[in-house]
Amino acid sequence: MSPGTAVGQAVTWLNDPLNWTNPGGILDRLTEHVTISAAAVLLGAVVAWPLGVWLGHSGRGGAVVLAVSNVTLAIPTLALLTILPLTFLGFGQRPVIVALSVFAVPPLLANAYTGVRSVDPQTRDAARGMGLSGWQLLTRVELPLAVPYLAAGFRTAAVQVVATAALAAFVNGGGLGQIIAAGFGLSIAVGGGQVLAGGLLVALLALAVEGLLALVQRVLTPRPLRRAGRSGDGAVTAGA
């Protein structure tokens, strides 16, 4: 099949209203994809943020953060998606969410740690001089100043998870990957356009999530910290 033919078939497939509204159509798969991705990122944040923030506050966790990030990055997501359904989690969305949450941990953990450690030592000293306890220092000074890093880490993790969640189709986990898998189940001459359409939908969703979270990050970050937030974006790349 020529590229032009595949593109034409993809446009035709996307313009068919039944492919959007039928059971198992685009709207159903999109809802599944967003649900799986959101649950995975939130689960990753519940695990990674408290650990990263506490290690950053204590100042003794650099090696731990590096080790955890390296270990989680070294585990292939597809391998986890293959292994976890054979455990008590079974097939479906639960093993997919767990596998994707592991994939989300490195940027969340690294940015939480980096955000807290990036606080100016003089600011910490001034806070302690005012009589703030360790907990008050963390909640009133370090965490607010780490907001750009936390938001940037969440954004990176979300985009990565959305893009990777298409692999859920391998274990019947739902999502837009099911559209791609169904296209591959047909001959290339027949299903090539559907495969291309599914890939395009995943890419567009990832771009939409990136844009939306970039806007949310900017709104939630205090104006004086927005420049620091740009530095936080760079930390995401290094941390991830």
Side-chain angles (χ1 to χ4, degrees), residues 155-170:
R155 188 170 121 201
T156 299
V159 173
Q160 290 178 349
V161 167
V162 166
T164 310
L167 297 175
F170 283 98

Side-chain angles (χ1 to χ4, degrees), residues 5 8 52 76 81 105 111 115 126 135 177 219:
T5 303
L81 287 172
V105 163
N111 279 273
W135 176 251
V219 171

Side-chain angles (χ1 to χ4, degrees), residues 19-109:
N19 289 332
W20 287 82
T21 56
N22 276 347
I26 295 174
L27 294 180
D28 284 349
R29 297 308 183 192
L30 179 62
T31 301
E32 292 173 350
H33 202 103
V34 172
T35 300
I36 291 169
S37 301
V41 175
L42 291 176
L43 178 59
V46 167
V47 174
W49 271 354
L51 179 61
V53 167
W54 177 251
L55 292 176
H57 173 71
S58 65
R60 296 190 295 268
V64 174
V65 171
L66 182 62
V68 172
S69 297
N70 287 340
V71 168
T72 51
L73 282 174
I75 301 174
T77 306
L78 186 56
L80 277 180
L81 287 172
T82 304
I83 295 171
L84 290 179
L86 303 178
T87 67
F88 66 93
L89 293 173
F91 285 84
Q93 293 187 356
R94 286 185 297 177
V96 172
I97 291 171
V98 173
L100 292 176
S101 67
V102 173
F103 186 61
V105 163
L108 291 167
L109 178 63

Side-chain angles (χ1 to χ4, degrees), residues 31 110 128 132 134 170 179 184 200:
T31 301
R128 291 191 181 98
L132 268 65
F170 283 98
I179 295 174
F184 276 120
L200 180 62

